[in-house]
Amino acid sequence: MKIAVVDYGMGNLRSVAKAIEHVAPEAQVLITGKAAEVDAADRVVVPGQGALHDCMREFLACGLRESVENASRNKPFLGICVGMQMLFDHGEEGDTQALGLIRGEVPRFPAGMTDADGSRLKVPHMGWNEVEATRPHPLFQGIPERARFYFVHSYYCKPKDTAHSVAETRYGLVFTSAVARDNIFATQFHPEKSASVGLALLSNFVHWNP
């Protein structure tokens, strides 16, 4: 099995690849910016961190759009953090047009959010938080309800069709923290930084046959 971790210069590539190698030692894990290698892979992972407009600029400059869009239609596909945000239509940050593979917007957390006890919440949302699955999905198999995953983000995804949301998290407001459609699965949190539950999700991805 070949798993491509897409390298467009904006992502936690080494940590993602090492985590996948840990759960799939039999697989060939490639960090690659070559369209031919993405096309030849059995599974594709698109990480991302930083600003959505910067990630989209670098991604489009690398000439990988066609290969990634084909992968999103034809093989198991995992987006992580900004790699999830890129799947949507439009990001508020930098008025960014994204890939439009999942309909919806990527707004910023509003200013002045407070916790249940009235304490002010900081943006970016950074650290561990609960993820509640809103419907069953193979990538959540064996993961406890309300498991805690690691987040770092100031913007969140808001799918137009709520059926695409498979998990939610509360941080001032309730936002979609994972989406799924057909062979696409994507998370706002970082499974590669989320200890055993993150490794469990990555293992489920490696064995997922949508």
Side-chain angles (χ1 to χ4, degrees), residues 38-106:
V38 175
D39 293 339
D42 301 298
R43 296 166 193 270
V44 171
V45 181
V46 179
Q49 60 185 28
L52 176 60
H53 60 89
D54 291 338
C55 287
M56 281 303 304
R57 183 188 65 241
E58 295 302 317
F59 175 77
L60 294 174
C62 286
L64 292 168
R65 180 169 189 159
E66 183 178 357
S67 293
V68 167
E69 289 185 347
N70 286 339
S72 76
R73 291 188 287 265
N74 300 315
K75 59 189 72 175
F77 181 101
L78 177 63
I80 298 174
C81 195
V82 178
M84 170 173 162
Q85 296 177 6
M86 288 169 61
L87 300 176
F88 282 73
D89 291 316
H90 177 263
E92 182 180 307
E93 185 177 23
D95 189 22
T96 303
Q97 294 301 313
L99 296 177
L101 300 174
I102 294 178
R103 301 302 307 275
E105 301 292 316
V106 186

Side-chain angles (χ1 to χ4, degrees), residues 135-163:
R135 62 178 172 89
H137 191 279
L139 266 68
F140 287 132
Q141 183 177 351
I143 294 174
E145 292 184 17
R146 294 183 172 273
R148 295 174 70 83
F149 289 83
Y150 189 82
F151 291 82
V152 184
H153 64 122
S154 300
Y155 295 77
Y156 65 95
C157 294
K158 190 174 181 180
K160 185 174 182 179
D161 185 347
T162 57

Side-chain angles (χ1 to χ4, degrees), residues 5 7 25 32 41 67 79 89 93 103 116 134 141 147 159-161 164 171 175 178-179 203-204 209:
V5 178
D7 180 7
T32 180
S67 293
D89 291 316
E93 185 177 23
R103 301 302 307 275
T134 54
Q141 183 177 351
K160 185 174 182 179
D161 185 347
H164 292 150
Y171 190 72
F175 68 91
V179 293
S203 178
N204 288 339
N209 291 303

Side-chain angles (χ1 to χ4, degrees), residues 81 109 121-131 147-154 169-171 175 177 188-191 193-195 197:
C81 195
F109 282 117
L121 293 172
K122 295 180 180 180
V123 178
H125 171 213
M126 184 179 298
W128 296 83
N129 205 341
E130 290 183 353
V131 171
R148 295 174 70 83
F149 289 83
Y150 189 82
F151 291 82
V152 184
H153 64 122
S154 300
T169 295
R170 177 176 289 279
Y171 190 72
F175 68 91
S177 50
Q188 184 62 66
F189 53 83
H190 288 268
K193 297 181 180 180
S194 298
V197 291

